[in-house]
Amino acid sequence: MALRHAVLAALLDEELSGYQLAKAFDLGVANFWHALPQQLYAELTRLEKDGLIAGREVVQDTRPNKRLFTVTDAGLAELDRFTAAATRPSSIRDDLIVMVQAADHVDTATLVAQLTERAAFARAKVDLFTGLLRTMRGDRSEEEFLRCGERIGPYLTCLRGLAFERGNRDWCERTIAVLREREAARAAR
């Protein structure tokens, strides 16, 4: 997947400025695609040049003018082509997992500190995704929303982000417990 497809997908629901797009990435898209704000601005320029999005200038009285972007018919066609292409299974590439791989040969306290930090990050993301899902479905149950909601794509990707972060949290907490138990057993000998 290219950044362009993630940007196109993020612009499907509404016109967004570059700043709003960066915020949307932080809240929703970041659970499956990471991009820095400067990468997003550069991609918006390329997408507009390629005719996949259209931008319009909005004059503001008390702030600098801004550009709002929306997906064009050509952009929708590009998303159709993208979704028709075969996908590759994803893989994990994570420094923390490499650190845990070396657990028998490194300082356990340092590793537990890294895992504790990651678990806290995952817990915060679980809370964020839980809130986003609640906001998206409103007063409907999840089943009702998934059956009748207007746009379920963002909801489904948010569910995947929630499952991912729950998995991260659970793995970190279990790994911390194992490392602490092993350290305590070594100290008792």
Side-chain angles (χ1 to χ4, degrees), residues 31 125-126 129 156-166:
N31 80 73
K125 291 288 277 195
V126 164
F129 288 133
L156 292 171
T157 59
C158 199
L159 278 177
R160 178 63 183 114
L162 178 61
F164 178 78
E165 293 302 344
R166 281 180 174 158

Side-chain angles (χ1 to χ4, degrees), residues 12-179:
L12 286 173
D13 289 327
E14 61 184 321
E15 275 187 317
L16 296 174
S17 67
Y19 176 78
Q20 291 168 317
L21 178 65
K23 289 291 185 197
F25 257 69
D26 280 348
L27 288 177
V29 180
N31 80 73
F32 60 89
W33 194 268
H34 174 74
L36 298 171
Q38 53 268 41
Q39 292 173 301
L40 294 173
Y41 286 109
E43 192 60 41
L44 285 170
T45 300
R46 283 190 289 275
L47 287 167
E48 188 172 24
K49 181 178 163 265
D50 293 344
L52 301 178
I53 62 172
R56 68 180 180 92
E57 193 81 14
V58 175
V59 178
Q60 302 184 108
D61 293 329
T62 59
R63 295 179 158 185
N65 294 345
K66 67 179 176 181
R67 267 183 95 55
L68 294 178
F69 298 94
T70 189
V71 178
T72 64
D73 289 341
L76 289 172
E78 174 60 25
L79 280 172
D80 274 340
R81 280 190 294 282
F82 173 70
T83 57
T87 63
R88 293 185 309 257
S90 59
S91 60
I92 300 173
R93 238 182 114 155
D94 188 332
D95 293 345
L96 184 58
I97 295 174
V98 175
M99 293 174 191
V100 171
Q101 175 74 20
D104 301 308
H105 303 283
V106 298
D107 178 34
T108 301
T110 302
L111 193 50
V112 166
Q114 293 272 15
L115 287 158
T116 301
E117 184 178 320
R118 181 71 64 86
F121 178 81
R123 279 191 292 279
K125 291 288 277 195
V126 164
D127 291 345
L128 173 70
F129 288 133
T130 301
L132 285 171
L133 289 165
R134 195 176 312 112
T135 299
M136 282 188 240
R137 70 177 176 264
D139 59 358
R140 293 177 277 189
S141 70
E142 184 166 275
E143 294 75 23
E144 181 184 357
F145 180 80
L146 291 173
R147 194 174 47 256
C148 307
E150 267 187 48
R151 283 256 301 126
I152 61 164
Y155 194 89
L156 292 171
T157 59
C158 199
L159 278 177
R160 178 63 183 114
L162 178 61
F164 178 78
E165 293 302 344
R166 281 180 174 158
N168 283 336
R169 176 202 60 203
D170 295 348
W171 177 78
C172 287
E173 290 172 353
R174 174 75 172 126
T175 304
I176 289 166
V178 167
L179 292 173

